[in-house]
Amino acid sequence: MAARNAGTELELGWISKVYVNPPAVVRHAEQIQKWRTVKGNWQAAWLLKAVTCIDLTTLSGDDTPSNVHRLCFKAKHPIREDLLKAMDMHDKGITVAAVCVYPARVTDAVNALKAAGCDIPVASVAAGFPSGQTPLETKLAEIKLAVQYGAREIDIVISRSLVLSGQWEGLYEEIRQCREACGEAHMKTILATGELGSLANVYKASMIAMMAGSDFIKTSTGKEVENATLPVGVVMMRAIKEFYWQTGFKVGFKPAGGIRTAKEAITWLMLVKEELGVEWLKPELFRLGASSLLEDIEKQTSGILVSQASDNCYVQAHSVVSKGAPFVHM
């Protein structure tokens, strides 16, 4: 993870005159979707970059120690060895960024990753995930338990009612207390943007979450009707940029929910590069919340290598994965 966001005092002046132009935001997002995507070997390289930014997730009621162990094995070996060898990336330690589970499964994940001999961090959802309809005392206790079990990252969820009723002081205080309960664990704050009512509220909630010390802001739980969308991503990234200009703290961004295809993953990478710059294209500042994305990335990578076998493929892969990302090559 990047250096911690120390947060700031509550500055309501930063959000008091916020205006978001939804049609303009939507048009901007649509333009990015229409861009020609990266092709051939460059596409394979960008897909490897996406892999290194994935929070590989299982958040099901029927999760068991055995399926968490399988998830952790996939986290350490996200791409087939033969594909990595074809790109000369088999010895570069390509793994996902983190494994994300419920608090009750944190110990299973920690033990599985330790047995596998890798240092992939375990992230735990907490604070009344996914609804947030839990007393604050219970939220804080759940966070502390997840950290005690070995979670190094905590994905909290906010109380949406505080946003919808404009209780910004209450939202700030809730997130601030969650941050304190995390201790040394990095905190990602899930805004559940599909339930906030407007893009203006998304921007305001993003700013409040960062003021309160969030190390990442995250779009969704993956359980809402509407999860990660590009217009929401644009608004949240503009808030991240403004917070950085105001404070000098770099806050990470995590879209989650409904990201299932390699093409969607690359679109999010391109949006981050456009809005925040290449320096955000690393796991310390960008994550993709996904449970089934790896399967399509592996499938697409295999197809690229078969159709465009080239001695240059490993050059692109090294450039993108080791340096963050080049300018988009069409």
Side-chain angles (χ1 to χ4, degrees):
M1 278 281 191
R4 301 298 302 273
N5 168 27
T8 68
E9 296 296 325
L10 179 62
E11 297 284 353
L12 291 178
W14 293 3
I15 65 170
S16 62
K17 298 181 180 178
V18 167
Y19 171 73
V20 177
N21 184 339
V25 172
V26 170
R27 283 196 301 271
H28 180 57
E30 289 174 345
Q31 288 174 350
I32 291 173
Q33 285 181 298
K34 291 176 181 178
W35 287 351
R36 287 182 299 156
T37 187
V38 286
K39 300 292 185 181
N41 294 335
W42 280 110
Q43 185 179 19
W46 276 69
L47 290 176
L48 274 191
K49 165 56 66 176
V51 168
T52 66
C53 295
I54 288 176
D55 280 359
L56 192 59
T57 302
T58 182
L59 296 170
S60 299
D62 59 357
D63 283 339
T64 63
S66 59
N67 81 287
V68 170
H69 290 175
R70 288 193 295 271
L71 187 80
C72 291
F73 179 84
K74 188 63 175 177
K76 185 181 180 182
H77 307 282
I79 300 293
R80 292 194 337 246
E81 186 76 4
D82 61 309
L83 299 181
L84 292 176
K85 285 183 177 179
M87 293 183 283
D88 193 32
M89 296 296 291
H90 59 287
D91 58 350
K92 299 301 183 291
I94 299 295
T95 70
V96 301
V99 169
C100 185
V101 295
Y102 276 115
R105 300 270 73 91
V106 168
T107 301
D108 297 329
V110 169
N111 290 340
L113 292 168
K114 183 178 180 180
C118 62
D119 194 39
I120 299 171
V122 174
S124 174
V125 295
F129 180 95
S131 70
Q133 297 285 5
T134 304
L136 181 57
E137 294 79 9
T138 305
K139 293 181 179 183
L140 300 178
E142 186 179 37
I143 292 169
K144 291 175 182 178
L145 279 174
V147 173
Q148 180 182 322
Y149 294 156
R152 288 154 55 187
E153 302 175 10
I154 302 293
D155 290 32
I156 71 162
V157 62
I158 67 169
S159 298
R160 277 73 111 188
S161 62
L162 296 175
V163 176
L164 295 172
S165 58
Q167 297 181 62
W168 305 115
E169 295 91 343
L171 180 64
Y172 174 88
E173 184 58 30
E174 178 181 90
I175 298 173
R176 194 71 180 171
Q177 289 191 45
C178 289
R179 168 72 155 75
E180 292 174 1
C182 287
E184 295 301 313
H186 283 66
M187 186 176 77
K188 309 188 200 91
T189 298
I190 307 170
L191 303 182
T193 56
E195 297 178 349
L196 296 188
S198 69
L199 290 177
N201 277 346
V202 169
Y203 184 93
K204 293 176 181 179
S206 298
M207 291 299 289
I208 295 294
M210 291 185 286
M211 291 179 205
S214 302
D215 298 297
F216 265 71
I217 52 175
K218 176 178 172 182
T219 60
S220 320
T221 66
K223 309 293 186 181
E224 295 91 54
V225 174
E226 182 180 272
N227 293 292
T229 67
L230 294 181
V232 159
V234 170
V235 171
M236 292 176 69
M237 287 184 229
R238 295 288 173 91
I240 288 172
K241 188 185 302 183
E242 177 65 23
F243 187 78
Y244 175 59
W245 287 342
Q246 293 281 0
T247 68
F249 293 124
K250 293 180 180 178
V251 174
F253 173 69
K254 178 180 174 179
I259 304 172
R260 298 184 178 88
T261 69
K263 182 178 179 181
E264 290 169 339
I266 289 180
T267 299
W268 279 106
L269 287 169
M270 293 173 70
L271 181 59
V272 171
K273 178 185 173 297
E274 172 74 10
E275 292 293 329
L276 297 173
V278 172
E279 59 190 309
W280 254 264
L281 285 178
K282 54 187 179 182
E284 292 83 1
L285 289 169
F286 176 63
R287 298 289 180 85
L288 286 161
S291 56
S292 58
L293 174 60
L294 271 180
E295 182 179 349
D296 192 57
I297 286 181
E298 196 169 58
K299 177 182 177 182
Q300 297 302 322
T301 302
S302 178
I304 291 165
L305 295 179
V306 169
S307 63
Q308 299 196 27
S310 169
D311 292 337
N312 291 327
C313 189
Y314 78 91
V315 177
Q316 281 88 342
H318 276 270
S319 177
V320 174
V321 175
S322 64
K323 297 180 183 178
F327 289 105
V328 178
H329 287 253
M330 301 302 183

